[in-house]
Amino acid sequence: MKWLKIFLALLIIAGGAVGGYALYLYKSIERTADRMYQPVTGETEAPKEIIEKEKPFCILIMGVDERKGDRGRTDTMMVMAVNPRKESALLFNIPRDTRTEIAGRGIQDKINHAYAYGGVKMSIETVEQFLDVPIDYYAKVNMQEFAKIVDALGGVEVDNPFAFRYDGHTFEKGRIHLDGDTALKYARMRYEDPRGDLGRNERQRRVLKSMIEKAASPGILANLGTVLESLGSSVTTNITFEEMKKLGNDYRNAIRQVETLEIKGRGRKIDGIYYLIVSEEEKRRVRSLVKKQLERD
């Protein structure tokens, strides 16, 4: 599924902690951030320090369906371009069936297969190649643990545009409450949605928007220990604790003012395998929008 700002919950909490919460709370967040920190293979311990210098940056957010003994594939790939001076962020999904060249392998395949071939590093390099922009940071979410994060937040509420049934659960039209299990199902439904992947992407953004609102609310303090434990066991990122504090304080407005776009393509079977073919014209459009977002005025 396509999970966006899960790790941003920690970033906003961290910003609040620095602003005056108790020392024990600060230390708890710091320990969680240390558990989450994992530099990309070949990356130095202090990667780019872009956040420290308040520069625009791109982050690749991956939802990975990992199981024991299997590296898995990215069920979602989302890119967020954040510009603190514009106080805005541009967010979009890269459809997992997108056919592109896998960096370092010289083959055309689905973009989400890059993770199976070469983990986080190859995923980043493949997305950089596809978008023609650098990816500065990443955040990876283990989807097997995702439901725990939603439950730790006390569930989420979303506005569901149409009723549907999926995996044994009925989702009514209108405002509905979702626990961890039903949030996972709600975001994963694909084939019954008239818009297919695009509709699924939109539902996932609704869930994530609700999550970030919960994480930023004062009520989160009651369940903070559980939330931090869930984040620490399910999220990895190359954003350091110091950079998280900067994000929580200096990038707060940009993170909350999120614009979205959709990558358009056409479905096609090649050798019996379904792919999404993104035209060169569409690639140029998306690349232009991302580069414009990252401009320093």
Side-chain angles (χ1 to χ4, degrees), residues 99 110 268-275:
R99 194 169 194 264
K110 295 184 179 185
R268 179 184 172 189
K269 278 194 172 183
I270 300 176
D271 296 329
I273 300 173
Y274 175 86
Y275 295 95

Side-chain angles (χ1 to χ4, degrees), residues 64-296:
V64 179
D65 205 355
E66 290 180 307
R67 293 175 175 85
K68 188 176 181 179
D70 179 16
R71 175 182 277 171
R73 291 179 174 84
T74 43
D75 194 42
T76 177
M77 301 181 87
M78 304 184 79
V79 175
M80 186 161 61
V82 182
N83 192 320
R85 294 191 179 184
K86 294 181 178 180
E87 292 193 344
S88 67
L90 178 66
L91 169 72
F92 58 96
N93 300 84
I94 301 178
R96 62 182 185 175
D97 293 331
T98 300
R99 194 169 194 264
T100 191
E101 181 177 335
I102 304 299
R105 292 187 67 89
I107 61 171
Q108 294 285 321
D109 204 340
K110 295 184 179 185
I111 197 165
N112 74 322
H113 289 186
Y115 186 83
Y117 289 130
V120 169
K121 187 173 188 294
M122 190 171 288
S123 295
I124 290 174
E125 291 171 350
T126 299
V127 170
E128 287 179 329
Q129 186 171 271
F130 179 74
L131 294 176
D132 191 32
V133 295
I135 298 295
D136 304 295
Y137 299 99
Y138 84 91
K140 184 184 76 169
V141 183
N142 183 343
M143 297 318 304
Q144 297 301 308
E145 300 289 327
F146 171 77
K148 294 180 181 178
I149 301 175
V150 176
D151 285 334
L153 290 169
V156 295
E157 290 191 356
V158 298
D159 289 313
N160 187 31
F162 64 93
F164 65 89
R165 185 171 178 79
Y166 178 73
D167 198 13
H169 187 84
T170 299
F171 297 88
E172 301 292 346
K173 181 179 179 179
R175 190 75 172 171
I176 57 176
H177 180 85
L178 305 172
D179 62 15
D181 180 61
T182 53
L184 201 58
K185 292 176 181 179
Y186 179 78
R188 274 184 163 162
M189 190 278 281
R190 177 181 184 185
Y191 296 109
E192 294 181 34
D193 194 307
R195 299 181 68 218
D197 240 5
L198 297 180
R200 187 175 73 154
N201 293 349
E202 179 59 34
R203 275 181 281 109
Q204 290 164 351
R205 285 193 287 267
R206 289 192 191 100
V207 171
L208 292 163
K209 183 175 184 294
S210 182
M211 289 179 70
I212 201 67
E213 288 171 353
K214 276 287 192 76
S217 68
I220 192 61
L221 293 177
N223 297 325
L224 186 60
T226 305
V227 172
L228 292 176
E229 177 60 31
S230 300
L231 285 166
S233 64
S234 60
V235 179
T236 58
T237 180
N238 62 341
I239 301 176
T240 66
F241 179 59
E242 291 302 315
E243 290 169 321
M244 286 184 186
K245 290 190 293 183
K246 290 285 289 184
L247 270 176
N249 285 322
D250 300 336
Y251 286 70
R252 182 183 296 256
N253 290 336
I255 290 171
R256 287 179 172 172
Q257 300 299 317
V258 180
E259 300 177 13
T260 61
L261 69 85
E262 292 181 346
I263 295 179
K264 301 174 183 178
R266 58 182 178 85
R268 179 184 172 189
K269 278 194 172 183
I270 300 176
D271 296 329
I273 300 173
Y274 175 86
Y275 295 95
L276 183 76
I277 307 299
V278 180
S279 68
E280 290 302 318
E281 181 181 4
E282 176 67 356
K283 288 179 187 177
R284 286 193 294 271
R285 180 184 77 89
V286 172
R287 290 168 178 170
S288 176
L289 289 171
V290 176
K291 290 177 180 178
K292 184 176 180 180
Q293 170 65 16
L294 295 172
E295 288 177 354
R296 301 189 70 181

